[in-house]
PDB file of all heavy atoms in Angstrom:
ATOM      1  N   ASP A 282     -36.931   8.779   2.750  1.00 75.00           N
ATOM      2  CA  ASP A 282     -36.683   9.645   1.744  1.00 75.00           C
ATOM      3  C   ASP A 282     -35.258   9.849   1.440  1.00 75.00           C
ATOM      4  O   ASP A 282     -34.251   9.526   2.331  1.00 75.00           O
ATOM      5  CB  ASP A 282     -37.329  11.122   1.931  1.00 75.00           C
ATOM      6  CG  ASP A 282     -36.874  11.756   3.343  1.00 75.00           C
ATOM      7  OD1 ASP A 282     -35.652  12.242   3.222  1.00 75.00           O
ATOM      8  OD2 ASP A 282     -37.589  11.687   4.220  1.00 75.00           O
ATOM      9  N   GLU A 283     -34.856  10.500   0.278  1.00 78.00           N
ATOM     10  CA  GLU A 283     -33.443  10.576  -0.058  1.00 78.00           C
ATOM     11  C   GLU A 283     -32.637  11.536   0.893  1.00 78.00           C
ATOM     12  O   GLU A 283     -31.474  11.174   1.239  1.00 78.00           O
ATOM     13  CB  GLU A 283     -33.363  11.235  -1.484  1.00 78.00           C
ATOM     14  CG  GLU A 283     -31.925  11.372  -1.928  1.00 78.00           C
ATOM     15  CD  GLU A 283     -31.905  11.825  -3.513  1.00 78.00           C
ATOM     16  OE1 GLU A 283     -32.919  11.804  -4.084  1.00 78.00           O
ATOM     17  OE2 GLU A 283     -30.689  12.052  -3.929  1.00 78.00           O
ATOM     18  N   ARG A 284     -33.277  12.522   1.432  1.00 79.00           N
ATOM     19  CA  ARG A 284     -32.505  13.356   2.199  1.00 79.00           C
ATOM     20  C   ARG A 284     -32.215  12.698   3.615  1.00 79.00           C
ATOM     21  O   ARG A 284     -31.114  12.788   4.038  1.00 79.00           O
ATOM     22  CB  ARG A 284     -33.429  14.518   2.572  1.00 79.00           C
ATOM     23  CG  ARG A 284     -32.806  15.569   3.736  1.00 79.00           C
ATOM     24  CD  ARG A 284     -31.511  16.180   3.183  1.00 79.00           C
ATOM     25  NE  ARG A 284     -30.947  17.050   4.215  1.00 79.00           N
ATOM     26  CZ  ARG A 284     -29.567  16.951   4.655  1.00 79.00           C
ATOM     27  NH1 ARG A 284     -28.830  16.063   3.935  1.00 79.00           N
ATOM     28  NH2 ARG A 284     -29.075  17.774   5.483  1.00 79.00           N
ATOM     29  N   THR A 285     -33.173  11.988   4.152  1.00 78.00           N
ATOM     30  CA  THR A 285     -33.054  11.291   5.303  1.00 78.00           C
ATOM     31  C   THR A 285     -31.946  10.231   5.202  1.00 78.00           C
ATOM     32  O   THR A 285     -31.024  10.101   6.068  1.00 78.00           O
ATOM     33  CB  THR A 285     -34.215  10.670   5.913  1.00 78.00           C
ATOM     34  OG1 THR A 285     -35.238  11.598   6.232  1.00 78.00           O
ATOM     35  CG2 THR A 285     -34.021   9.635   7.141  1.00 78.00           C
ATOM     36  N   THR A 286     -31.944   9.427   3.986  1.00 80.00           N
ATOM     37  CA  THR A 286     -30.974   8.391   3.799  1.00 80.00           C
ATOM     38  C   THR A 286     -29.564   9.057   3.658  1.00 80.00           C
ATOM     39  O   THR A 286     -28.567   8.459   4.260  1.00 80.00           O
ATOM     40  CB  THR A 286     -31.312   7.651   2.418  1.00 80.00           C
ATOM     41  OG1 THR A 286     -32.685   7.161   2.647  1.00 80.00           O
ATOM     42  CG2 THR A 286     -30.279   6.570   2.163  1.00 80.00           C
ATOM     43  N   GLU A 287     -29.384  10.137   2.987  1.00 83.00           N
ATOM     44  CA  GLU A 287     -28.147  10.773   2.778  1.00 83.00           C
ATOM     45  C   GLU A 287     -27.497  11.240   4.155  1.00 83.00           C
ATOM     46  O   GLU A 287     -26.345  11.083   4.421  1.00 83.00           O
ATOM     47  CB  GLU A 287     -28.233  11.829   1.829  1.00 83.00           C
ATOM     48  CG  GLU A 287     -26.922  12.542   1.577  1.00 83.00           C
ATOM     49  CD  GLU A 287     -26.954  13.680   0.415  1.00 83.00           C
ATOM     50  OE1 GLU A 287     -28.025  13.719  -0.294  1.00 83.00           O
ATOM     51  OE2 GLU A 287     -26.114  14.397   0.302  1.00 83.00           O
ATOM     52  N   ARG A 288     -28.492  11.947   4.829  1.00 82.00           N
ATOM     53  CA  ARG A 288     -28.076  12.403   6.126  1.00 82.00           C
ATOM     54  C   ARG A 288     -27.638  11.340   7.136  1.00 82.00           C
ATOM     55  O   ARG A 288     -26.538  11.395   7.880  1.00 82.00           O
ATOM     56  CB  ARG A 288     -29.158  13.262   6.899  1.00 82.00           C
ATOM     57  CG  ARG A 288     -28.744  14.021   8.153  1.00 82.00           C
ATOM     58  CD  ARG A 288     -29.768  15.122   8.408  1.00 82.00           C
ATOM     59  NE  ARG A 288     -31.156  14.440   8.566  1.00 82.00           N
ATOM     60  CZ  ARG A 288     -32.231  15.225   8.452  1.00 82.00           C
ATOM     61  NH1 ARG A 288     -32.123  16.619   8.401  1.00 82.00           N
ATOM     62  NH2 ARG A 288     -33.474  14.658   8.608  1.00 82.00           N
ATOM     63  N   LEU A 289     -28.177  10.126   7.049  1.00 83.00           N
ATOM     64  CA  LEU A 289     -27.968   8.972   7.951  1.00 83.00           C
ATOM     65  C   LEU A 289     -26.634   8.334   7.559  1.00 83.00           C
ATOM     66  O   LEU A 289     -25.761   8.137   8.444  1.00 83.00           O
ATOM     67  CB  LEU A 289     -29.070   7.979   7.887  1.00 83.00           C
ATOM     68  CG  LEU A 289     -28.916   6.727   8.765  1.00 83.00           C
ATOM     69  CD1 LEU A 289     -29.133   7.099  10.250  1.00 83.00           C
ATOM     70  CD2 LEU A 289     -30.068   5.649   8.436  1.00 83.00           C
ATOM     71  N   LEU A 290     -26.439   8.156   6.177  1.00 86.00           N
ATOM     72  CA  LEU A 290     -25.190   7.654   5.743  1.00 86.00           C
ATOM     73  C   LEU A 290     -23.905   8.598   6.008  1.00 86.00           C
ATOM     74  O   LEU A 290     -22.938   8.050   6.395  1.00 86.00           O
ATOM     75  CB  LEU A 290     -25.268   7.336   4.288  1.00 86.00           C
ATOM     76  CG  LEU A 290     -26.229   6.153   3.900  1.00 86.00           C
ATOM     77  CD1 LEU A 290     -26.316   6.053   2.463  1.00 86.00           C
ATOM     78  CD2 LEU A 290     -25.731   4.905   4.315  1.00 86.00           C
ATOM     79  N   MET A 291     -24.132   9.800   5.859  1.00 87.00           N
ATOM     80  CA  MET A 291     -23.023  10.717   6.227  1.00 87.00           C
ATOM     81  C   MET A 291     -22.831  10.608   7.669  1.00 87.00           C
ATOM     82  O   MET A 291     -21.621  10.815   8.082  1.00 87.00           O
ATOM     83  CB  MET A 291     -23.311  12.146   5.748  1.00 87.00           C
ATOM     84  CG  MET A 291     -23.358  12.261   4.253  1.00 87.00           C
ATOM     85  SD  MET A 291     -23.584  13.943   3.618  1.00 87.00           S
ATOM     86  CE  MET A 291     -22.002  14.673   3.974  1.00 87.00           C
ATOM     87  N   ALA A 292     -23.881  10.621   8.488  1.00 87.00           N
ATOM     88  CA  ALA A 292     -23.714  10.442   9.948  1.00 87.00           C
ATOM     89  C   ALA A 292     -22.877   9.220  10.354  1.00 87.00           C
ATOM     90  O   ALA A 292     -22.014   9.202  11.237  1.00 87.00           O
ATOM     91  CB  ALA A 292     -24.970  10.577  10.664  1.00 87.00           C
ATOM     92  N   ALA A 293     -23.269   8.167   9.619  1.00 87.00           N
ATOM     93  CA  ALA A 293     -22.508   6.850   9.927  1.00 87.00           C
ATOM     94  C   ALA A 293     -21.041   6.960   9.477  1.00 87.00           C
ATOM     95  O   ALA A 293     -20.145   6.329  10.314  1.00 87.00           O
ATOM     96  CB  ALA A 293     -23.210   5.872   8.891  1.00 87.00           C
ATOM     97  N   VAL A 294     -20.685   7.736   8.506  1.00 90.00           N
ATOM     98  CA  VAL A 294     -19.196   7.943   8.271  1.00 90.00           C
ATOM     99  C   VAL A 294     -18.633   8.638   9.454  1.00 90.00           C
ATOM    100  O   VAL A 294     -17.482   8.218   9.972  1.00 90.00           O
ATOM    101  CB  VAL A 294     -19.130   8.804   6.902  1.00 90.00           C
ATOM    102  CG1 VAL A 294     -17.680   9.134   6.799  1.00 90.00           C
ATOM    103  CG2 VAL A 294     -19.572   7.926   5.688  1.00 90.00           C
ATOM    104  N   ARG A 295     -19.187   9.658   9.910  1.00 90.00           N
ATOM    105  CA  ARG A 295     -18.652  10.473  11.043  1.00 90.00           C
ATOM    106  C   ARG A 295     -18.532   9.684  12.355  1.00 90.00           C
ATOM    107  O   ARG A 295     -17.594   9.823  13.133  1.00 90.00           O
ATOM    108  CB  ARG A 295     -19.385  11.823  11.118  1.00 90.00           C
ATOM    109  CG  ARG A 295     -19.370  12.646  10.000  1.00 90.00           C
ATOM    110  CD  ARG A 295     -19.763  14.004  10.128  1.00 90.00           C
ATOM    111  NE  ARG A 295     -19.498  14.925   8.928  1.00 90.00           N
ATOM    112  CZ  ARG A 295     -18.363  15.336   8.436  1.00 90.00           C
ATOM    113  NH1 ARG A 295     -17.316  15.089   9.159  1.00 90.00           N
ATOM    114  NH2 ARG A 295     -18.271  16.031   7.377  1.00 90.00           N
ATOM    115  N   VAL A 296     -19.543   8.823  12.507  1.00 90.00           N
ATOM    116  CA  VAL A 296     -19.516   7.936  13.821  1.00 90.00           C
ATOM    117  C   VAL A 296     -18.515   6.930  13.708  1.00 90.00           C
ATOM    118  O   VAL A 296     -17.740   6.652  14.534  1.00 90.00           O
ATOM    119  CB  VAL A 296     -20.920   7.347  14.090  1.00 90.00           C
ATOM    120  CG1 VAL A 296     -20.798   6.309  15.179  1.00 90.00           C
ATOM    121  CG2 VAL A 296     -21.946   8.380  14.444  1.00 90.00           C
ATOM    122  N   GLY A 297     -18.337   6.297  12.370  1.00 91.00           N
ATOM    123  CA  GLY A 297     -17.255   5.382  12.124  1.00 91.00           C
ATOM    124  C   GLY A 297     -15.954   6.012  12.360  1.00 91.00           C
ATOM    125  O   GLY A 297     -15.047   5.382  12.891  1.00 91.00           O
TER     126      GLY A 297
END
Side-chain angles (χ1 to χ4, degrees):
D282 61 75
E283 182 173 349
R284 175 61 184 138
T285 297
T286 303
E287 182 176 349
R288 187 164 52 194
L289 184 67
L290 290 173
M291 293 186 74
V294 167
R295 299 198 174 281
V296 171

